């Protein structure tokens, strides 16, 4: 048999999906496990949004739509971007499809020629690294430290640029760190991007889930020259608890959107008209539920952070947004837990699931090998139980 595609064969499975699969398998086998793995809101999709989807089926909105989305959903997105971040986009500058993940792939496909470098600040969401490789690009990772709040400085960005650099992936607020760049910090980054003529894929999917009264600034709002080189990516998954509806979008220069849409027209067509109708209601209808969900996430963040930091051997990194918290297990590296030598977060997470009954995401695949990610998109009871188990697990580990 002939060799399969080198590009495709080099792609590694998503660790977030892998952890969730392992967790659900153990659960199905009747094992007593709890999970902080997959990043998806535990809330139901708000009723008024579900009703819009049901009504779409009743109205026979069950046929193909334009590849870039229905006029109604693009109009609702433009209005939302204006209302939320003061951004002016025409509907011809928007393309909607099956989730932000797919939109990110097509955005990279639109920008990258084989061998082009794409800068990725670490820790990064696991899929970015693979997506860059999937389009023939070269990921250039910029490491950041806990001391700097896991934020890349303008100088670090400048130092990573070469004549081959095409773009920066800028995920703010960040999965997995939960950190958020301020307006000033973003301005410094944007200045370098303009000077070096870089495109910016600004993934702002967690922009509404911010804590401590902090407000989020959308990257494209920093100026017309910044907006012109930015592909803004967002969707309904996190903000409206709609992960399964598969709606994500890009807003950008018309030329970029046209290429993205041409690409989408061949590889997927429009996404489900039912989901698009529900998304119209999400973007244009009442926004009240977002605050209820956001406030609940903040309450959980507070509890998780306070308690985790009292547990000897580990410490938490206080997130400013999202529904993730990173836990450092660096102090356990080189020690033996339940007979297993801990080299990195992969080892820790394996033993923690096997002996502690808790699934967390090792950030090894996120460019942060001594951290695990805890998604607090789970009930407060689960958080309490998870921390009880962490305490017991570490206390009984026979750490050597
Ligand atoms: N970007 C980030 C940073 C994410 O965490 C996720 C989570 N799935 C996505 C994009 C993709 O979201 P979706 O495909 O569900 O719209
Ligand atoms: N983005 C979420 C996470 O990081 C969902 C899973 C995924 O798409 O990777 O857990």
């Amino acid at each position: 048999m002939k060799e399969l595609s080198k590009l495709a064969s080099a792609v590694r499975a998503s660790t977030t999906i892998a952890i969730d699969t392992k967790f659900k398998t153990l659960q199905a086998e009747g094992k007593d496990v709890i999970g902080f793995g997959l990043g998806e809101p535990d809330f139901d999709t708000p009723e008024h949004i579900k009703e819009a989807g049901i009504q779409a089926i009743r109205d026979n909105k069950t046929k193909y739509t334009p590849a870039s989305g229905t006029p109604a959903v693009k109009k609702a997105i433009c209005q939302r971007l204006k209302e939320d971040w003061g951004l002016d986009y025409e509907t011809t500058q928007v393309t909607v499809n099956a989730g932000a993940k797919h939109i990110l792939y097509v955005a990279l496909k639109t920008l990258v020629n084989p061998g082009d470098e794409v800068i990725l600040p670490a820790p990064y969401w696991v899929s970015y690294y693979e997506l860059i490789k999937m389009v023939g690009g070269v990921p250039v990772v910029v490491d950041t430290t806990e001391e700097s709040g896991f934020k890349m400085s303008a100088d670090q960005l400048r130092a990573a640029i070469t004549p081959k650099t095409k773009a920066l992936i800028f995920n703010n607020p960040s999965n997995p760190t939960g950190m958020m760049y301020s307006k000033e910090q973003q301005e410094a980054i944007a200045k370098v991007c303009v000077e070096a003529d870089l495109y910016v894929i600004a993934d702002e999917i967690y922009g509404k889930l911010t804590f401590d009264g902090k407000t989020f600034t959308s990257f494209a709002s920093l100026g017309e020259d910044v907006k012109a080189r930015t592909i803004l990516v967002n969707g309904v998954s996190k903000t409206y608890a709609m992960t399964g509806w598969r709606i994500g979008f890009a807003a950008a220069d018309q030329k970029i959107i046209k290429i993205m849409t041409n690409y989408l027209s061949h590889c997927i067509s429009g996404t489900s008209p039912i989901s698009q109708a529900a998304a119209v209601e999400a973007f244009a209808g009442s926004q009240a539920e977002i605050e209820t969900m956001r406030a609940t996430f903040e309450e959980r963040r507070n509890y998780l952070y306070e308690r985790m930091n009292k547990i000897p051997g580990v410490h938490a990194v206080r997130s400013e947004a999202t529904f993730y918290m990173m836990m450092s297990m660096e102090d356990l590296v080189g020690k033996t837990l339940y007979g297993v030598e801990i080299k990195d977060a992969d080892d820790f997470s394996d033993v923690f699931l096997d002996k502690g009954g808790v699934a967390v995401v090792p950030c090894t695949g996120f460019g942060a090998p001594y951290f695990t990610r805890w998604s607090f998109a789970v009930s407060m009871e689960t958080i309490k139980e998870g921390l009880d188990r962490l305490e017991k697990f570490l206390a009984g580990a026979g750490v050597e």
Side-chain angles (χ1 to χ4, degrees):
M1 300 277 266
K2 290 198 174 164
E3 187 195 20
L4 299 176
S5 153
K6 284 194 178 66
L7 209 62
S9 303
V11 176
R12 289 172 300 182
S14 160
T15 34
T16 49
I17 308 283
I19 283 287
D20 193 57
T21 307
K22 191 170 169 186
F23 164 67
K24 285 184 178 141
T25 308
L26 288 172
Q27 230 180 9
E29 285 168 2
K31 300 253 161 60
D32 175 24
V33 286
I34 54 173
F36 294 85
L38 201 63
E40 81 176 330
D42 54 321
F43 304 105
D44 292 330
T45 302
E47 279 306 314
H48 65 108
I49 300 176
K50 287 197 286 197
E51 279 306 321
I54 292 164
Q55 194 56 45
I57 299 175
R58 295 222 164 90
D59 292 345
N60 292 308
K61 287 187 186 159
T62 54
K63 304 282 168 63
Y64 289 136
T65 74
S68 62
T70 62
V73 76
K74 286 186 283 184
K75 186 166 162 243
I77 288 168
C78 291
Q79 283 170 350
R80 177 92 346 259
L81 290 173
K82 177 76 180 160
E83 208 172 293
D84 287 346
W85 322 124
L87 290 167
D88 286 304
Y89 284 103
E90 303 289 331
T91 50
T92 50
Q93 295 178 289
V94 171
T95 198
V96 184
N97 222 285
K101 200 181 260 186
H102 191 63
I103 287 288
L104 284 163
Y105 172 66
V106 178
L108 282 163
K109 220 37 195 164
T110 302
L111 298 180
V112 173
N113 286 317
D116 283 351
E117 294 175 358
V118 179
I119 295 178
L120 186 58
Y124 46 80
W125 174 45
V126 62
S127 289
Y128 296 133
Y129 194 91
E130 299 301 318
L131 284 168
I132 297 168
K133 289 196 319 191
M134 280 161 71
V135 303
V138 179
V140 173
V141 173
V142 175
D143 285 314
T144 63
T145 60
E146 196 179 339
E147 292 68 44
S148 69
F150 289 118
K151 286 172 192 162
M152 176 183 69
S153 69
D155 284 345
Q156 279 182 300
L157 172 59
R158 204 174 279 114
I161 294 170
T162 75
K164 286 193 170 164
T165 310
K166 181 60 79 65
L168 161 70
I169 295 190
F170 192 64
N171 173 213
N172 189 39
S174 155
N175 172 8
T177 69
M179 294 299 173
M180 183 166 73
Y181 287 76
S182 67
K183 185 170 184 222
E184 293 69 30
Q185 286 164 337
Q186 291 195 72
E187 276 167 349
I189 299 282
K191 191 164 172 278
V192 179
C193 294
V194 173
E195 276 165 15
D197 190 21
L198 303 189
Y199 289 101
V200 180
I201 296 180
D203 181 346
E204 307 189 335
I205 203 152
Y206 298 101
K208 286 295 187 80
L209 304 176
T210 65
F211 309 141
D212 307 314
K214 290 203 170 90
T215 49
F216 170 75
T217 302
S218 179
F219 196 76
S221 72
L222 297 175
E224 280 308 312
D225 48 351
V226 181
K227 187 174 168 220
R229 60 184 63 255
T230 300
I231 304 184
L232 185 163
V233 177
N234 211 321
V236 297
S237 287
K238 318 293 171 172
T239 316
Y240 301 100
M242 291 176 72
T243 44
W245 295 78
R246 310 311 299 133
I247 294 280
F249 69 85
D253 176 80
Q254 202 173 327
K255 194 169 147 205
I256 292 175
I257 292 298
K258 190 160 186 302
I259 297 172
M260 286 183 69
T261 303
N262 287 347
Y263 201 90
L264 287 164
S265 75
H266 291 291
C267 72
I268 195 162
S269 302
T271 188
S272 153
I274 301 150
S275 296
Q276 292 186 61
V280 172
E281 178 59 25
F283 291 125
S286 164
Q287 304 292 298
E289 281 95 340
I290 302 177
E291 176 50 23
T292 313
M293 294 191 263
R294 189 211 62 76
T296 309
F297 287 136
E298 183 161 353
E299 222 176 283
R300 294 172 184 172
R301 188 280 315 255
N302 293 345
Y303 181 84
L304 184 58
Y305 177 74
E306 293 300 329
R307 248 196 87 187
M308 191 179 272
N309 261 349
K310 293 194 184 114
I311 300 176
V314 295
H315 72 264
V317 182
R318 195 168 194 271
S319 44
E320 302 169 322
T322 73
F323 38 69
Y324 303 114
M325 178 98 78
M326 298 238 291
M327 183 189 88
S328 165
M329 40 67 64
E330 196 167 1
D331 291 348
L332 299 172
V333 173
K335 307 221 159 104
T336 301
L337 263 56
Y338 297 92
V340 178
E341 194 201 328
I342 305 297
K343 290 181 293 306
D344 57 22
D346 282 341
D347 296 333
F348 175 86
S349 302
D350 271 349
V351 193
F352 192 27
L353 184 54
D354 287 346
K355 305 287 182 200
V358 179
V360 293
V361 175
C363 292
T364 322
F366 289 63
Y370 305 134
F371 289 86
T372 57
R373 188 195 75 178
W374 294 57
S375 159
F376 47 90
V378 292
S379 72
M380 196 60 131
E381 276 152 47
T382 302
I383 295 174
K384 286 180 180 163
E385 175 66 20
L387 290 167
D388 288 347
R389 288 185 185 201
L390 176 66
E391 256 169 6
K392 242 173 59 205
F393 169 77
L394 290 171
V399 178
E400 289 159 26

